[in-house]
């Protein structure tokens, strides 16, 4: 046999490869033995966090298979579905994030990691449409080019939970145009639009021009869309404006504001809406005021007033720890 036809050397996993022999596992010829053998193998996992997570993952997965008596055909179609999800991903499309979003996993992970801190603005899902190429926008400047939607002015203060202003906080903000599309969804995108990066001033004030948010469908032309059809669900998000706010010493805030009145507020496809994030918009019919705010044609505009309350890092961390301890105590009690 020529050298290049020789089989390649087998790759052994160096970690614990001999240990299974020492465990003396029984032949797994009954369903329960498959699960118990696997759990004994998990005893070998060196990292305690990995050990805990995988032990729980196997327990829940095996329970799920047992409880639902999944058929071979159903399991193969699940594998095919996940394969399609992976194959739909591109450098600008993340179908796995979308899957995590519609199954409520993104919102759940977010709510466990960012439990409410008294007085602070709550978090919401990031979504897949944030980009890091938003232009810097001056106070009062516009994040949207003309014609992208109905004029809206967004203003407020960035404050700490104790009420002190937070100057120089970096605010990233993004939204769709009035047709419900992010700039990245246009194949001829030349530059960022309907997104911007600004800073609060020395008194914590911020203000910028934007467009009135509209509700829009999350991408429905891939396997996640097919899944929603099977589940009898819609793929709509209520109107919203995304905000990501950072300042030294404070917990980074990823959130969105949801104007009241939208028909999808109570059935958001990705579970992002929280009561404290629903805001009232005001209609300002004052030509001079519209011009003063920088809207070139005057007329009327919509005003969104919102104070962004940041939580000091130590407060957030304490809330997260207390929340985790409380949850694990409750879980133990109910076990
Ligand atoms: C968004 O709001 O941009 C979004 C969030 C989750 C999935 C799809 C879109
Ligand atoms: Fe969005």
């Amino acid at each position: 046999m020529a050298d290049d036809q020789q089989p390649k050397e087998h790759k052994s996993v160096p970690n614990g490869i001999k240990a299974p022999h020492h465990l003396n596992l029984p032949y797994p010829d009954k369903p329960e033995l498959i699960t118990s053998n696997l759990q004994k193998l998990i005893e070998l996992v060196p990292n305690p966090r990995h050990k805990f997570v995988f032990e729980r993952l196997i327990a829940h997965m095996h329970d799920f298979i047992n409880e639902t008596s999944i058929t071979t055909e159903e399991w193969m179609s699940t594998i095919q579905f996940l394969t399609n999800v992976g194959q739909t991903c591109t450098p600008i499309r993340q179908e796995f994030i979308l899957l995590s979003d519609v199954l409520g996993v993104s919102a759940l992970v977010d709510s466990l990691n960012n439990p409410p801190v008294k007085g602070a603005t709550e978090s919401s899902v990031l979504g897949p449409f944030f980009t890091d190429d938003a232009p810097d926008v001056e106070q009062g400047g516009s994040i949207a080019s003309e014609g992208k939607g109905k004029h809206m002015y967004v203003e407020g203060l960035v404050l700490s939970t104790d009420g002190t202003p937070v100057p120089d906080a970096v605010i990233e903000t993004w939204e769709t145009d009035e047709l419900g599309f992010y700039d990245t969804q246009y194949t001829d995108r030349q530059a960022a639009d309907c997104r911007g990066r600004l800073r609060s001033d020395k008194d914590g004030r911020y203000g910028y021009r934007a467009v009135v948010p509209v509700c829009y469908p999350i991408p429905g032309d891939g396997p996640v869309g097919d899944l929603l059809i099977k589940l009898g669900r819609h793929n709509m998000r209520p109107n919203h404006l995304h905000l990501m706010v950072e300042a030294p010493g404070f917990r980074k805030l990823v959130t969105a504001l949801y104007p009241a009145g939208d028909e999808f507020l109570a059935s958001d496809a990705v579970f992002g809406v929280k009561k404290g994030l629903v805001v009232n918009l005001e209609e300002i019919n004052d030509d001079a005021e519209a011009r003063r705010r920088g809207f070139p044609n005057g007329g009327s505009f919509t005003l969104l007033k919102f104070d962004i309350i940041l939580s000091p890092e130590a407060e957030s961390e304490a809330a997260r720890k207390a929340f985790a301890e409380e949850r694990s105590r409750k879980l133990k009690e109910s076990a």
Side-chain angles (χ1 to χ4, degrees), residues 98 101 125-129 174 182 216 218-219 237 240 242 270:
L98 211 55
D101 292 339
V125 286
L126 171 70
F129 291 114
W174 66 106
Y182 285 96
Y216 65 84
I218 61 169
R237 291 221 68 203
H240 60 275
H242 292 273
V270 301

Side-chain angles (χ1 to χ4, degrees), residues 63-122:
D63 275 354
F64 169 76
I65 302 290
N66 281 317
E67 271 175 33
T68 52
S69 299
I70 290 285
T71 65
T72 305
E73 290 72 26
E74 285 168 337
W75 189 238
M76 288 321 291
S77 80
T78 305
I79 288 172
Q80 188 55 54
F81 169 76
L82 291 173
T83 306
N84 293 345
V85 170
Q87 287 173 344
T88 305
C89 293
T90 70
I92 55 157
R93 176 159 180 175
Q94 234 303 354
E95 195 77 356
F96 267 114
I97 294 186
L98 211 55
L99 179 61
S100 151
D101 292 339
V102 302
L103 294 180
V105 176
S106 306
L108 186 57
V109 171
D110 175 51
S111 67
L112 296 187
N113 281 273
N114 296 291
V117 172
K118 200 167 178 316
T121 303
E122 290 169 285

Side-chain angles (χ1 to χ4, degrees), residues 25-31 33-35 37:
L25 301 173
Y27 288 114
D29 46 17
K30 280 194 244 159
L33 287 173
I34 301 170
T35 306
N37 278 3

Side-chain angles (χ1 to χ4, degrees), residues 140 153 155 209 288-295 301 303 305:
Y153 198 87
E155 69 175 16
R209 281 175 281 140
E289 184 64 10
R291 284 180 202 280
R292 199 179 67 74
R293 301 244 183 188
F295 295 112
F301 67 98
L303 182 63
K305 276 183 166 204

Side-chain angles (χ1 to χ4, degrees), residues 6 42 107 114 133 162 165 167 202 206 228 241 304 316 319 321 325 335:
Q6 294 291 334
I42 284 178
N114 296 291
D133 65 348
D162 66 3
K202 63 177 189 1
Y206 75 94
L228 290 177
L241 173 76
L304 194 176
S316 275
K321 275 210 179 104
E325 277 163 17

Side-chain angles (χ1 to χ4, degrees), residues 119 121 155-159 204 206 257 305-310:
T121 303
E155 69 175 16
L157 292 164
V158 183
L159 300 168
Y206 75 94
L257 301 177
K305 276 183 166 204
F306 189 81
D307 289 344
I308 300 164
I309 317 286
L310 297 181

